[in-house]
Amino acid sequence: MAKARSKDIDIADLTRGQAKSELARLAREIADHDRAYHQKDRPVIADATYDALRRRNDAIERRFPDLIRPDSPSLRVAAAPAEKFEKVSHAQPMFSLGNAFSDDDVEDFYNRVRRFLGLDRETLALTAEPKIDGLSASLRYVRGDLVLGATRGDGQVGEDITRNLRTISDIPQHIAAPDLPETMEIRGEVFMSHQDFAQLNERQTKEGKPVFANPRNAAAGSVRQLDPSITASRPLRFIAYAWGEMSRIPGRTQIEVIDYLRDAGFPTNPLMRLCQNVDEILQAYGEIELQRSRLDYDIDGVVYKVNRLDWQDRLGYVSRAPRWAIAHKFPPEQAITQLVEIEIQVGRTGALTPVAKLQPVTVGGVVVSNASLHNEDEIQRKDIRVGDMVVVQRAGDVIPQVVKVLQEKRGKSSKPYVFPDKCPACGCHAVRETNPKTGKPDAARRCTGGLICPAQAVERLRHFVSRNAFDIEGLGEKQIQAFWDDKLVTQPADIFRLEKRQSDGDRDLAAREGWGEISAANLFNAVNERRAIGLDRFLFALGIRHAGASTARRLAKNYLSIDAFLKAVRAAQQPDSEAYGDLVAIDGIGEVVAQAIVAFFQEPHNNEVVKELLTEIDVQDFEAPSSTSPVAGKIVVFTGSLEKMTRNEAKARAEALGAKVSGSVSNKTDIVVAGSGAGSKLAKAREFGVEVLDEDEWLSRIGD
Ligand code: IVH
């Protein structure tokens, strides 16, 4: 039986994997149609067909909300992001909480509630649960469908962030539960875990974007994005803990309702518990506080709520807070200590990060001896100096921070801190580059040592063998790391010397853990296959800052041979030279890129690496796209699976022959090469009357 294609399968029958690829396909196709419609004003399918695609996309997303893609069509309602959020009045106000700062405050609260209710012997049970440090949101469901999501705003009026909240996989798009209330407004906290926060900041740094100070800011910044695809790319979480307007309340106590919500599919806090008296409340507080440092998210206190809902009703609200609940805050996690030293750490990409080495001090129950100083500007702004007494805080962050310096405690001999301009790991220059997008200096100072810097070498080598570079099969990050650890490969040329070392009896690769005769031979073959490499791949592999695959291609196309390229960049060392002028004049290469290229070849160690490498490999001249080939200047689309070549190969060959390879079929397409299983693109080609060739016809057309 032929395997059913995902696009033909009923949504209810889709597996997760099929749903994922189906959503990818729909995102691509719908985007193509949107472009045809909005930008070219030339729709290629009937409106009804288009609507059906969108409906299918939405239905799959409803079944698998966690698979919603950042580029999902459902997040691009009218293509452009909104200019501002719409205001929404909350059907019931979103209250804040009164605070308790001590055990006495809690006892006062407990007794106040008892008095208000006129309780005598009866037990007053309260729930205790972590107070999550995020931002609250209200989710409105009608007959089980999420129809509106809003921020708290001023408690009366918030902002409509439905499209953003829909991208959070913790938030159900649809709920089904027994006796589901027709209207439900579920409230809870949107937040970011420590791990996700750290990864997000790492990504921000890599992309030259500002980092967030703590997970709360990161969550708030992510949820209030006008473009929901940005929210979708941020790992947000949600925990439900309260409700607003409900057509029926599914329980008689706080615990019952929360359990109902949990069973209906909302994440709730497993640390919530029921306490029967003040002692149990304070015990719960102590236990949650103890767990605090082990939790993967920030909490800043414990919230107590009267469990019986009829009592909550009687207690009601005072000004902006309920009488039936209170937040017992944790003491601020700050301490004063001495900054003993500023250590500069070098990251995998060469960024120099200053870290404060502190006289160990207990902050909120945890001993702290390091604190982040972020970057050079931050040290200057706070005028942080070695020897200073500083206020350290363990805020949202897992990494403690230096909040401020106690200037009055500073000694007379203290001197401003001078940030090093040499990398502590390798001694090479460390520079602050200009961000090509903003034109401003980067926040991070970076080591220019590249491959010879031990902090960066593995990352550089990994890049060297990666797909668009040397693409050496069987040589991934794991192997590179292991070879580096054993000093078997410390620079690219070493990769090409592995086999010789083996035959010289220097190192036996086959005897290494995880390797055998066959895998070693396979690796040598894969390495040898790459001894001849195109100039563009070679340039990309060097990992020159700002020189990505397309820049490398532009350079290759312009200089054609490695000799011409090296001669030109050496001559371009002077900014007023003709060679430099030629370099900047290349289409798509601006000052920033040109300077990065020149700077790379100014470093002797980089030239050494290139020289060594060239003794092992043969860099082939750039194959100029032919202008006489039968496909020169033609727009070609490959679809379906090809048998005689990979998609990448086919693309490279077509481009070498001067064709332009496109991913989607339009009325401008000249040729569609359809392999087996070609689907919608083939159909579209027929619709447009575009010439369709099978793989063999294509090969004979290009004379292969
Ligand atoms: S209950 C009517 N429970 O704290 C009571 N709030 O200071 C509604 N918060 O705006 C709130 N964790 O953003 C409640 N477990 C929790 C909470 C919590 C965090 C936040 C919420 C609220 C603020 C009040």
Side-chain angles (χ1 to χ4, degrees):
M1 201 182 82
K3 218 169 123 201
R5 294 163 50 81
S6 301
K7 63 181 291 194
D8 304 322
I9 301 176
D10 262 5
I11 289 166
D13 297 335
L14 282 174
T15 63
R16 233 183 121 70
Q18 287 169 329
K20 199 168 171 194
S21 58
E22 191 52 354
L23 288 176
R25 177 188 73 88
L26 287 163
R28 232 176 15 244
E29 274 194 30
I30 293 173
D32 284 349
H33 294 311
D34 284 347
R35 230 171 289 126
Y37 186 89
H38 291 293
Q39 291 168 14
K40 301 193 196 138
D41 265 342
R42 202 188 286 269
V44 293
I45 51 169
D47 286 357
T49 320
Y50 174 83
D51 291 343
L53 287 178
R54 286 198 80 117
R55 271 200 309 275
R56 183 166 172 83
N57 185 76
D58 295 349
I60 300 175
E61 287 183 346
R62 266 200 302 280
R63 234 197 101 197
F64 299 96
D66 59 319
L67 294 183
I68 299 181
R69 302 162 55 88
D71 63 348
S72 162
S74 64
L75 305 176
R76 273 183 290 114
V77 173
E83 285 193 349
K84 63 178 177 48
F85 296 110
E86 295 295 323
K87 297 264 181 263
V88 265
S89 287
H90 297 299
Q92 275 183 18
M94 288 180 78
F95 291 96
S96 60
L97 293 167
N99 289 323
F101 296 102
S102 64
D103 292 0
D104 285 350
D105 289 352
V106 176
E107 201 157 341
D108 287 350
F109 161 75
Y110 193 81
N111 293 333
R112 213 162 46 233
V113 171
R114 288 195 72 94
R115 267 200 312 278
F116 190 97
L117 294 171
L119 302 183
D120 184 13
R121 296 243 153 86
E122 260 168 305
T123 306
L124 168 63
L126 271 80
T127 57
E129 65 195 289
K131 182 172 188 298
I132 304 171
D133 199 8
L135 59 144
S136 49
S138 185
L139 310 167
R140 191 175 176 85
Y141 290 83
V142 175
R143 284 182 287 283
D145 283 322
L146 173 63
V147 293
L148 180 70
T151 62
R152 178 173 178 276
D154 63 3
Q156 304 288 338
V157 178
E159 285 174 323
D160 179 348
I161 51 163
T162 317
R163 294 202 296 157
N164 294 356
L165 293 177
R166 276 193 205 283
T167 69
I168 301 177
S169 58
D170 275 348
I171 295 182
Q173 305 273 322
H174 181 81
I175 37 173
D179 299 324
L180 193 74
E182 161 125 357
T183 309
M184 303 174 68
E185 228 173 65
I186 307 306
R187 291 171 177 177
E189 205 79 353
V190 176
F191 61 99
M192 198 177 279
S193 76
H194 291 152
Q195 199 187 352
D196 288 337
F197 165 71
Q199 274 171 7
L200 172 63
N201 267 355
E202 213 173 280
R203 204 168 78 202
Q204 293 281 106
T205 310
K206 251 192 202 148
E207 292 170 6
K209 296 181 186 154
V211 294
F212 295 100
N214 54 48
R216 208 203 89 83
N217 285 4
S222 303
V223 125
R224 294 199 72 259
Q225 288 288 337
L226 288 166
D227 178 355
S229 67
I230 301 182
T231 315
S233 71
R234 305 272 174 85
L236 294 168
R237 291 177 51 193
F238 178 81
I239 279 187
Y241 52 64
W243 56 92
E245 188 185 35
M246 302 283 269
S247 52
R248 179 182 73 82
I249 295 181
R252 287 170 302 118
T253 61
Q254 185 76 25
I255 287 266
E256 278 175 21
V257 178
I258 295 298
D259 282 350
Y260 179 89
L261 295 182
R262 187 196 57 216
D263 294 343
F266 289 97
T268 57
N269 203 317
L271 299 180
M272 175 170 173
R273 66 180 78 177
L274 191 61
C275 306
Q276 306 294 341
N277 52 48
V278 176
D279 286 345
E280 285 188 20
I281 293 175
L282 294 177
Q283 196 181 337
Y285 175 85
E287 282 166 18
I288 292 177
E289 189 178 23
L290 267 182
Q291 297 196 50
R292 182 181 187 190
S293 61
R294 267 174 285 135
L295 288 180
D296 190 29
Y297 54 89
D298 281 341
I299 64 174
D300 56 355
V302 179
V303 181
Y304 310 131
K305 297 171 185 166
V306 170
N307 193 36
R308 272 178 59 167
L309 300 185
D310 55 338
W311 285 356
Q312 286 190 5
D313 283 345
R314 277 174 57 197
L315 285 154
Y317 299 84
V318 253
S319 64
R320 303 176 68 212
R323 259 193 216 94
W324 47 266
I326 199 159
H328 189 180
K329 301 297 271 289
F330 294 134
E333 291 192 296
Q334 286 194 343
I336 294 173
T337 189
Q338 187 174 34
L339 188 155
V340 183
E341 194 193 332
I342 294 178
E343 185 182 286
I344 305 291
Q345 296 179 350
V346 192
R348 275 158 52 102
T349 57
L352 268 50
T353 311
V355 175
K357 296 278 154 186
L358 306 168
Q359 195 60 45
V361 62
T362 308
V363 191
V366 175
V367 178
V368 167
S369 46
N370 293 324
S372 165
L373 294 171
H374 300 291
N375 54 45
E376 196 171 340
D377 292 343
E378 180 86 355
I379 297 182
Q380 205 175 35
R381 197 169 58 77
K382 292 182 179 161
D383 187 16
I384 297 170
R385 305 179 185 190
V386 174
D388 276 347
M389 294 305 288
V390 293
V391 176
V392 192
Q393 175 169 290
R394 260 186 67 230
D397 256 326
V398 252
I399 307 169
Q401 309 190 353
V402 171
V403 183
K404 62 170 183 175
V405 169
L406 302 176
Q407 306 244 4
E408 63 280 11
K409 302 233 157 130
R410 184 175 274 169
K412 282 212 177 68
S413 59
S414 138
K415 286 195 191 68
Y417 179 72
V418 181
F419 204 91
D421 58 4
K422 297 254 164 59
C423 170
C426 68
C428 291
H429 291 122
V431 297
R432 283 181 77 173
E433 292 170 350
T434 308
N435 183 310
K437 292 203 184 98
T438 60
K440 293 192 190 129
D442 271 347
R445 187 174 280 277
R446 273 173 205 285
C447 163
T448 56
L451 274 158
I452 65 151
C453 177
Q456 296 174 70
V458 170
E459 181 66 18
R460 292 301 184 100
L461 286 165
R462 197 196 53 71
H463 172 81
F464 185 84
V465 297
S466 67
R467 229 166 93 211
N468 290 323
F470 272 69
D471 192 19
I472 298 179
E473 216 179 309
L475 201 51
E477 182 160 8
K478 214 173 79 201
Q479 293 81 6
I480 286 283
Q481 182 71 56
F483 290 171
W484 163 264
D485 290 343
D486 287 356
K487 299 280 167 269
L488 194 55
V489 172
T490 58
Q491 59 161 320
D494 292 343
I495 295 171
F496 296 92
R497 294 171 182 155
L498 285 169
E499 188 173 13
K500 176 135 193 322
R501 288 179 79 169
Q502 168 109 340
S503 54
D504 289 352
D506 178 7
R507 290 288 188 98
D508 188 2
L509 186 63
R512 289 175 65 93
E513 202 190 311
W515 291 86
E517 293 293 339
I518 298 181
S519 53
N522 285 345
L523 178 64
F524 299 150
N525 279 341
V527 167
N528 289 333
E529 263 179 36
R530 296 291 186 253
R531 282 190 191 267
I533 189 100
L535 178 60
D536 49 345
R537 278 180 180 266
F538 173 80
L539 295 178
F540 174 67
L542 293 180
I544 304 170
R545 288 272 301 160
H546 307 304
S550 58
T551 299
R553 208 177 149 71
R554 286 193 179 107
L555 292 169
K557 203 168 154 185
N558 192 73
Y559 293 106
L560 300 175
S561 74
I562 180 72
D563 292 342
F565 172 78
L566 290 176
K567 203 168 147 215
V569 287
R570 281 176 192 142
Q573 301 291 322
Q574 299 303 328
D576 54 1
S577 64
E578 202 180 322
Y580 185 80
D582 290 346
L583 179 60
V584 207
I586 300 176
D587 192 26
I589 296 198
E591 287 280 351
V592 174
V593 181
Q595 276 166 23
I597 295 166
V598 169
F600 182 91
F601 287 96
Q602 253 162 7
E603 298 286 337
H605 56 263
N606 287 334
N607 286 308
E608 192 55 32
V609 161
V610 171
K611 199 174 118 210
E612 287 281 316
L613 194 50
L614 290 178
T615 64
E616 296 291 337
I617 64 166
D618 177 19
V619 181
Q620 300 188 321
D621 291 357
F622 184 75
E623 219 179 301
S626 157
S627 56
T628 54
S629 91
V631 294
K634 297 260 192 292
I635 300 181
V636 180
V637 175
F638 290 96
T639 179
S641 47
L642 304 174
E643 270 151 30
K644 303 205 167 120
M645 54 196 162
T646 64
R647 194 64 86 77
N648 268 348
E649 258 179 282
K651 184 168 182 262
R653 182 85 188 105
E655 281 174 353
L657 290 169
K660 197 167 167 285
V661 178
S662 160
S664 60
V665 178
S666 74
N667 59 337
K668 296 211 178 74
T669 310
D670 294 300
I671 301 171
V672 168
V673 182
S676 57
S680 61
K681 286 186 196 163
L682 178 57
K684 245 204 238 172
R686 299 236 158 88
E687 213 173 299
F688 285 129
V690 172
E691 183 179 20
V692 177
L693 301 180
D694 67 18
E695 193 176 352
D696 286 332
E697 287 168 337
W698 163 255
L699 290 175
S700 72
R701 169 80 53 98
I702 62 174
D704 267 11

